[in-house]
Amino acid sequence: MDLTSINPILLVASIMISATPILLAAIGEMVVEKAGVLNLGVEGMMITGAVVGFATAVSTGSPALGFAAAALASAVLSLSFGVLTQILMSNQVATGLGLTLVGLGLSALIGKPYEGMKSPTLPKLDIPVLGDIPLLGRMLFSHDAMVYLSLLLVLAVWATLKYTRAGLILRAVGESHDAAHALGYKVIRIRMTAIFFGGACAGLGGAYLSLVRVPQWTEGMTAGAGWIALAIVVFASWRAERVLIGAYLFGGVTVLQLNLQAAGAKVPVEILSMSPYLITILVLVVISARGAHGAPASLGRPFHASS
Amino acid sequence: MNRRTLLSTAAATLVGTTLATGAFAAAHGDKVKVGFIFVGPIGDGGWTYEHNKGRLAVEEAFGDKVETVYQESVPEGADAERAITQMALSGANLIFTTSFGYMDPTINVAAKFPDVKFEHATGFKRSDNVGVYSARFYEGRAIQGHIAGKMTKSNKIGYIASFPIPEVIRGINSAYIHAKKANPDVEFSVIWAYTWFDPAKESDAARALIENGADVILQHTDSTAPQAAAQEKGNVITFGQASDMAEYAPMPRVSSIIDNWSPYYIERVQAVMDGTWESDDTWDGIGSGMVGIGEISDAVPADVKAEALELKDRIAAGDYHPFTGPLNKQDGSVWLAEGETAPDGDLLGMNFYVEGLTGDIPN
């Protein structure tokens, strides 16, 4: 076994790239669930973001525009889920699954002309001073802008939920929509905003896959990343800082196991391959054994102002 | 026989008769209905893309006389059985199941539909109405191995493998043997991705190999993601897998293995129309054109290209077998003596590395 061939600087850099798409999707979904809505359509919104972001970046030559278009497209798509579940009171689980199917089909249709094309990718930032620190500089401060944006987003969500009035209202709606309604808050409007935000984040995550991580468009390319994002929200027991830990842990174990294989580590491949899922399950078991789930009390329950 | 088994036997017979009648009626309709079960989306740019090209060729060749149906992204395992059953129930006369993992499901479903013909790709189990077909991809791997051995500067070659099945192991062995011949210092690192299609994971795997020093990436997964990752890293060469992947030529993709299923699919559909279809075992290679070698790009030095093409011609003509002794197994035991070539039986069930490869095959 020759583990010296694993370069820790490159490893950490790869982990950050690998974790970013699921981090973006998961933080968005967490806000949606904090508002009491279970949107199982993350996979569908991600892949829509992936194709729209790719197509826009290819036609305009600007990856930044690609990300913006991806966020917008997925957010608009998620509004269809919002209208169906919040206004027309359809079942959230079924509608969310439907959203995934629609997203997969729609993206295949939009993406047909873009197969095999290359897109402009995000440049790596060259941060002065910080980037020049030996080791740490290359490890942590020489990524593309989206990596830092995703981290800032986590910070912003955490601070908003914890310290602001808006965050408090959002949590109130998720815990007890009837009480929030009685206090005069517009439950449906607040939930729609959360769904819109969640859609935009999933779109950014998808676009990160097609513009940076892979980078290309291939039909069905999210291959389950949206479901991982959903699991991470539960894993994180609906806390922003734990979403960050969950996404980096999952991304980290995935990349690490590939690196261990490449370096020829004498660990059975089966164990390495299942390790990301194994660790996720283990943490979930630990969390539920402790009994403190932290799930918003109104999660997935339909709301109508008459009740 | 107790009453319960008697009843279930009666029920099974009844169901069997009904299904058989249904299939009979369909076979004597105007059209032959041909079904395809795909493991990935047809837009994967690789394996499934080429099978779908075969399907389109069938439609073109027979026009109104055939109807084709297909289902994409069918998971290997229990769900495949449901998908194949549904296709047989919908009146398909001939069903191609195009991935190794459909082997047992195909055999199981075929037993219930004796009048429907099945063709399973890359497997080794047959029955009266299940034929198998595959291509000798390892012939193409030999040529890739030669080019890889000649072109690597770090002497490290990365290999993204999918599942530990004979077809994949044959490819690794064949590539390794010929890389080693071209360059005795060469080392292989193999990553088992446990997926046929997951662009993000394939891309991560390619990056991990490159970061561990590999400057040649061979892949046995279906998407073009490793090509994109190699291109981004620069100074790494790759080979198109299953499809030409020419959009990544001349660098990183320097050549490719192309699966050409069209002639075979057309021939088998014709056989069903003529009523001459019989379960058989087809395994063709470069010689018959089922395995194509994509254009070797200018990134390859002219002398290496000439050697590769010569190797291709010798394999096509049957003068050279990629598994020719002396060859030892990984544990040092003798597999093939001097001048001996591998019998097909050994190749079909291959579950060992040849001498020189490191690491274990997961099982």
Side-chain angles (χ1 to χ4, degrees):
Chain A
M1 170 160 51
D2 175 25
L3 292 182
T4 51
S5 69
I6 298 181
N7 180 336
I9 298 175
L10 295 174
L11 182 68
V12 171
S14 290
I15 288 172
M16 293 182 85
I17 289 177
S18 167
T20 299
I22 41 179
L23 175 62
L24 283 164
I27 197 73
E29 176 66 12
M30 195 202 84
V31 170
V32 178
E33 294 191 12
K34 269 287 184 194
V37 180
L38 182 66
N39 185 353
L40 294 181
V42 183
E43 177 87 1
M45 298 186 295
M46 271 186 99
I47 197 144
T48 306
V51 73
V52 171
F54 189 83
T56 311
V58 165
S59 12
T60 63
S62 157
L65 271 181
F67 277 104
L72 191 67
S74 300
V76 168
L77 184 70
S78 73
L79 278 189
S80 67
F81 169 86
V83 170
L84 284 168
T85 58
Q86 302 307 308
I87 298 174
L88 301 175
M89 308 272 292
S90 70
N91 179 293
Q92 292 185 8
V93 171
T95 313
L97 292 174
L99 186 63
T100 289
L101 295 177
V102 167
L104 287 171
L106 189 68
S107 63
L109 185 71
I110 300 175
K112 241 342 143 249
Y114 295 96
E115 273 163 16
M117 290 177 92
K118 287 170 209 130
S119 85
T121 185
L122 280 182
K124 304 267 185 239
L125 292 183
D126 197 10
I127 304 173
V129 188
L130 286 180
D132 299 332
I133 306 171
L135 286 177
L136 280 184
R138 276 202 61 203
M139 205 186 273
L140 304 175
F141 300 110
S142 59
H143 297 291
D144 53 82
M146 281 309 288
V147 170
Y148 303 110
L149 188 71
S150 68
L151 294 173
L152 285 177
L153 203 61
V154 173
L155 190 69
V157 166
W158 170 79
T160 307
L161 287 176
K162 197 169 165 75
Y163 295 115
T164 68
R165 186 165 174 79
L168 198 62
I169 295 171
L170 185 92
R171 277 156 54 201
V173 166
E175 291 300 335
S176 169
H177 45 222
D178 293 326
H181 176 65
L183 285 171
Y185 294 119
K186 309 278 185 213
V187 172
I188 291 177
R189 198 177 300 165
I190 291 163
R191 286 190 168 164
M192 287 293 247
T193 314
I195 291 170
F196 191 83
F197 176 79
C201 287
L204 287 177
Y208 195 81
L209 269 179
S210 65
L211 288 174
V212 182
R213 186 166 167 204
V214 175
Q216 64 175 17
W217 164 252
T218 311
E219 207 183 313
M221 66 181 297
T222 46
W227 299 109
I228 302 288
L230 275 162
I232 284 174
V233 175
V234 182
F235 173 104
S237 49
W238 294 269
R239 285 171 186 229
E241 71 278 12
R242 292 196 193 155
V243 165
L244 179 69
I245 296 170
Y248 272 74
L249 188 66
F250 190 85
V253 180
T254 308
V255 169
L256 184 65
Q257 71 97 352
L258 293 171
N259 271 280
L260 285 174
Q261 283 200 48
K266 290 261 176 279
V267 183
V269 176
E270 298 89 332
I271 293 179
L272 288 178
S273 289
M274 70 183 176
S275 56
Y277 306 95
L278 206 63
I279 290 181
T280 309
I281 291 172
L282 272 179
V283 175
L284 287 177
V285 168
V286 169
I287 288 173
S288 43
R290 275 196 341 207
H293 306 283
S298 293
L299 182 60
R301 280 172 45 205
F303 169 77
H304 192 269
S306 64
S307 61
Chain B
M1 186 186 275
N2 65 31
R3 200 166 62 181
R4 188 172 294 167
T5 43
L6 182 73
L7 280 175
S8 63
T9 317
T13 320
L14 194 67
V15 171
T17 323
T18 327
L19 294 178
T21 325
F24 180 81
H28 288 74
D30 295 324
K31 288 181 175 182
V32 170
K33 192 167 178 180
V34 187
F36 293 83
I37 302 280
F38 295 141
V39 72
I42 55 181
D44 67 354
W47 176 258
T48 299
Y49 176 75
E50 289 296 324
H51 281 287
N52 188 55
K53 262 172 62 179
R55 179 184 72 85
L56 295 173
V58 166
E59 281 194 340
E60 185 155 331
F62 298 103
D64 289 344
K65 288 189 287 182
V66 293
E67 181 191 350
T68 65
V69 287
Y70 64 88
Q71 190 173 348
E72 300 172 85
S73 301
V74 176
E76 297 181 324
D79 201 40
E81 202 160 320
R82 184 192 54 77
I84 302 167
T85 305
Q86 206 167 25
M87 205 165 262
L89 281 174
S90 76
N93 311 104
L94 172 64
I95 297 176
F96 293 95
T97 54
T98 64
S99 188
F100 180 81
Y102 302 148
M103 181 159 66
D104 291 329
T106 304
I107 296 288
N108 295 347
V109 177
K112 291 181 219 152
F113 296 89
D115 288 344
V116 179
K117 322 285 186 223
F118 294 84
E119 294 263 353
H120 176 240
T122 71
F124 51 78
K125 290 188 186 169
R126 283 170 56 197
S127 70
D128 283 349
N129 59 335
V130 182
V132 292
Y133 64 104
S134 184
R136 296 179 186 266
F137 306 115
Y138 66 85
E139 297 184 349
R141 291 283 174 197
I143 295 159
Q144 291 187 348
H146 182 81
I147 298 174
K150 286 282 182 189
M151 287 192 67
T152 178
K153 295 192 179 66
S154 65
N155 294 331
K156 273 194 170 179
I157 293 172
Y159 203 111
I160 306 171
S162 45
F163 293 96
I165 57 172
E167 182 202 336
V168 176
I169 297 167
R170 277 197 302 275
I172 298 173
N173 282 333
S174 176
Y176 178 74
I177 291 166
H178 294 87
K180 187 90 178 169
K181 265 186 200 162
N183 174 358
D185 296 326
V186 89
E187 277 176 45
F188 267 43
S189 22
V190 179
I191 285 188
W192 295 96
Y194 278 94
T195 179
W196 289 112
F197 177 81
D198 182 345
K201 192 168 190 185
E202 292 170 48
S203 168
D204 283 349
R207 284 208 179 89
L209 288 165
I210 295 166
E211 284 164 8
N212 278 280
D215 63 352
V216 179
I217 300 291
L218 301 179
Q219 66 176 98
H220 204 138
T221 48
D222 299 349
S223 89
T224 49
Q227 316 274 331
Q231 188 167 46
E232 185 191 275
K233 293 277 180 185
N235 290 324
V236 174
I237 64 166
T238 59
F239 295 86
Q241 160 67 8
S243 189
D244 197 23
M245 304 189 178
E247 60 272 26
Y248 288 95
M251 274 290 275
R253 171 223 166 273
V254 296
S255 181
S256 59
I257 295 178
I258 306 171
D259 310 345
N260 181 8
W261 307 107
S262 307
Y264 181 75
Y265 284 170
I266 291 170
E267 180 196 317
R268 300 306 281 173
V269 172
Q270 185 69 54
V272 168
M273 285 178 172
D274 300 345
T276 55
W277 189 95
E278 273 181 3
S279 159
D280 72 354
D281 183 344
T282 303
W283 204 16
D284 284 342
I286 295 178
S288 75
M290 195 180 257
V291 175
I293 300 299
E295 173 72 24
I296 299 176
S297 81
D298 294 338
V300 179
D303 55 326
V304 177
K305 181 173 174 176
E307 288 161 14
L309 289 176
E310 194 211 333
L311 185 61
K312 176 187 161 190
D313 291 340
R314 281 170 59 211
I315 293 173
D319 297 340
Y320 174 71
H321 191 295
F323 292 105
T324 302
L327 282 177
N328 292 346
K329 296 186 182 180
Q330 191 183 29
D331 58 14
S333 62
V334 176
W335 174 36
L336 297 172
E338 176 84 43
E340 193 187 349
T341 57
D344 278 358
D346 278 16
L347 295 180
L348 284 169
M350 189 175 266
N351 59 359
F352 57 87
Y353 278 154
V354 294
E355 193 172 42
L357 279 165
T358 51
D360 298 321
I361 300 173
N363 43 44

